[in-house]
Amino acid sequence: MDFTLTPGQENIRQLTHWLAENEIRPLSLAADRQHHFPDAFLLKLKQMGVTQGATEAEDRPAEVGVRRSKQANRSAVIGAEEMAWGDASLILSLPGPGLGGPPIRLTGTKEQQERFFAPFQREEELHWGAYGLTEPQAGSDVAGLQTTAKKDGHHYVLNGRKCYITNGARADWVVIFATVNPSLGRAGHRAFVVEKGTPGFSVGKLEKKMGLRASETAELVLEDCRVHVDNLLGGESIYEATDGFKTAMKTFDNTRPLVAAMAVGIGRAAYERARDFAKEAYCLARPLPRHALIQALLGKMERRLEAARLLVWRAAAMADLGLPNTKEASMSKAYAAEVAQQVTIDALEVMGAAGNHQDALVEKWFRDVKVYDIFEGTGQIQRIVIAKRLFETIKSF
Ligand SMILES: Cc1cc2nc3c(=O)[nH]c(=O)nc-3n(C[C@H](O)[C@H](O)[C@H](O)COP(=O)(O)OP(=O)(O)OC[C@H]3O[C@@H](n4cnc5c(N)ncnc54)[C@H](O)[C@@H]3O)c2cc1C
């Protein structure tokens, strides 16, 4: 695989880095304290062309004539790393369909894609979509979800509770996963697009988190919420051919490398801050034994980040080529999250008290990065996915 950046990708890298450094970083600490980025700033970014579309592969119906780049996933992970280098909460707060985009793009009918992606084309307005899979009793164990969907004429009646939903409170719609029959397990799962304002659909509490505080995370409540059959993603027929669980999981093959790229971006930010601090504070050119240890630690941080980035780029390149990449996507996510967590700890070690200070971004990055080992499947879950695929390969010999 040739990982030389194309001129277009180099352009994305430079532009997103410039934005991250000059527009996003200066607001980062204030946004963390106020728990949001101002809408005026998000609108300004949107008008500059910076939306989730810039960091996600594609969230428009293929039929509207937009040519899908051959390296859309590669370009997306490059942009995501730079934006997260600026601020990881910001990237999750950008207007756009968010994690709700991939299931609609992957399984929605043409009519559904046109309908649900339409708001994001309006230049002067902020719109969000969201992805509602997690429940209080079903996080990693998504197969055990308890939100029910009962068919009633031309509607489904949804009952249940979703938690930790990114942009859930402000989203125009949320892709909600529910079961038509809990005894069927995964075969009973269905994905519905539930629109804001639908009677019976409400926002519960906003979650208070350790990290990514400027990104909104909400609890959603469904109480006898009637959703028209037209909002069943992909229509009835796709669930006869395959199960809804696959719809939920297919999303992750595209989004896990993207999330892993963000973790690399946070880790790189911490590494660079520690490296620059060490250069100034310790004058590393002078070979004292203590300095050699810090140099070795910085070398290890950079080496591990580079390895994580290569795993991310491989998983994204496989998605671009249409190759099955479940194992590789999980490898990139598991490794990048682990490395980025360790690198932020190492950065705190290099900087000592200066890194622990609340005005030092390293302290914030240390809090932010933990979530990358939790959402989109925890580290353990990625390891289970990898092990499962490993045994499938061994069986086939
Ligand atoms: C900031 C944030 C944003 C989020 N955004 C969204 C969103 O937009 N949409 C959405 O649907 N969800 C979202 N989530 C939820 C997230 O996907 C879940 O938190 C995650 O899947 C883990 O579920 P859990 O928190 O219930 O932990 P649990 O599943 O209860 O896991 C707890 C611990 O047990 C381990 N564990 C669980 N099962 C196993 C097993 N079989 N073997 C070994 N170890 C295991 C886990 O690895 C973990 O360490 C978000 C979460 C956060 C923190």
Side-chain angles (χ1 to χ4, degrees):
M1 282 174 186
D2 178 8
F3 286 143
T4 314
L5 301 195
T6 62
Q9 287 165 347
E10 186 52 35
N11 213 15
I12 290 175
R13 195 188 65 75
Q14 285 184 18
L15 178 73
T16 45
H17 187 76
W18 185 90
L19 267 171
E21 187 164 28
N22 297 291
E23 298 278 342
I24 298 167
R25 275 269 180 100
L27 296 182
S28 194
L29 276 177
D32 186 62
R33 286 172 190 152
Q34 289 155 14
H35 292 201
H36 75 279
F37 278 91
D39 278 359
F41 178 64
L42 297 178
L43 194 58
K44 178 179 155 190
L45 289 182
K46 181 171 179 175
Q47 284 161 351
M48 290 166 82
V50 184
T51 61
Q52 286 174 357
T55 50
E56 287 185 0
E58 185 98 26
D59 281 310
R60 290 173 212 141
E63 294 79 0
V64 297
V66 181
R67 196 171 154 270
R68 190 173 157 78
S69 151
K70 275 192 192 145
Q71 296 200 359
N73 286 284
R74 280 281 310 284
S75 302
V77 294
I78 290 164
E81 179 183 331
E82 295 307 326
M83 295 288 279
W85 180 93
D87 190 291
S89 286
L90 184 269
I91 195 170
L92 299 177
S93 308
L94 287 173
L99 282 179
I104 294 183
R105 180 158 41 80
L106 291 166
T107 52
T109 62
K110 184 175 174 232
E111 184 276 331
Q112 287 172 333
Q113 293 191 27
E114 278 170 0
R115 194 170 135 217
F116 297 123
F117 288 141
F120 308 112
Q121 316 299 327
R122 292 182 212 136
E123 302 244 317
E124 303 299 317
E125 298 169 16
L126 295 173
H127 293 278
W128 289 268
Y131 179 84
L133 182 62
T134 305
E135 300 179 0
Q137 305 306 324
S140 301
D141 179 24
V142 283
L145 64 83
Q146 291 171 10
T147 296
T148 53
K150 247 189 179 166
K151 185 106 187 262
D152 181 21
H154 292 299
H155 289 82
Y156 280 88
V157 182
L158 271 55
N159 276 291
R161 199 168 272 267
K162 298 285 174 181
C163 56
Y164 297 106
I165 308 305
T166 301
N167 296 324
R170 60 182 168 184
D172 290 44
W173 47 253
V174 185
V175 175
I176 294 281
F177 290 84
T179 176
V180 287
N181 184 347
S183 70
L184 290 178
R186 292 168 181 183
H189 291 190
R190 301 285 181 273
F192 299 89
V193 183
V194 182
E195 292 161 278
K196 195 181 203 163
T198 307
F201 182 46
S202 61
V203 176
K205 63 178 188 294
L206 291 183
E207 311 289 355
K208 292 191 179 131
K209 313 187 296 296
M210 174 177 90
L212 297 181
R213 289 182 183 166
S215 161
E216 177 201 278
T217 316
E219 180 190 36
L220 301 174
V221 183
L222 298 132
E223 280 169 326
D224 292 331
C225 174
R226 291 178 71 80
V227 178
H228 197 271
V229 284
D230 288 350
N231 287 27
L232 175 64
L233 211 49
E236 305 269 1
S237 55
I238 69 154
Y239 299 93
E240 286 154 19
T242 175
D243 62 54
F245 183 74
K246 289 208 175 106
T247 304
M249 296 300 111
K250 249 206 275 184
T251 301
F252 293 137
D253 294 346
N254 280 258
T255 55
R256 279 178 179 159
L258 204 59
V259 169
M262 294 180 208
V264 173
I266 303 174
R268 202 184 98 218
Y271 159 70
E272 289 175 3
R273 182 57 58 97
R275 182 199 60 197
D276 295 348
F277 177 90
K279 256 193 219 158
E280 261 186 44
Y282 301 127
C283 306
L284 286 179
R286 273 193 285 149
L288 295 178
R290 165 184 169 194
H291 297 164
L293 284 179
I294 287 175
Q295 264 179 329
L297 182 57
L298 288 165
K300 187 172 165 189
M301 289 156 81
E302 180 166 357
R303 189 174 75 233
R304 298 183 79 198
L305 284 168
E306 295 261 340
R309 182 184 300 112
L310 286 173
L311 282 178
V312 170
W313 284 10
R314 178 181 69 164
M318 289 176 76
D320 283 333
L321 292 169
L323 298 171
N325 73 337
T326 302
K327 183 179 77 178
E328 289 75 11
S330 282
M331 282 180 166
S332 71
K333 166 77 168 58
Y335 191 69
E338 187 183 306
V339 162
Q341 284 181 88
Q342 188 56 50
V343 165
T344 54
I345 293 171
D346 293 343
L348 287 171
E349 190 173 315
V350 170
M351 294 179 68
N356 274 273
H357 199 281
Q358 281 200 343
D359 289 340
L361 280 162
V362 174
E363 180 267 349
K364 177 181 127 53
W365 295 328
F366 170 73
R367 287 188 282 108
D368 284 350
V369 81
K370 182 62 208 168
V371 171
Y372 285 79
D373 200 39
I374 300 175
F375 62 8
E376 292 277 305
T378 66
Q380 282 93 331
I381 294 305
Q382 308 302 334
R383 288 175 198 103
I384 290 170
V385 172
I386 295 162
K388 211 173 140 211
R389 293 294 182 292
L390 224 56
F391 282 106
E392 276 171 7
T393 323
I394 292 167
K395 242 193 320 191
S396 68
F397 276 118

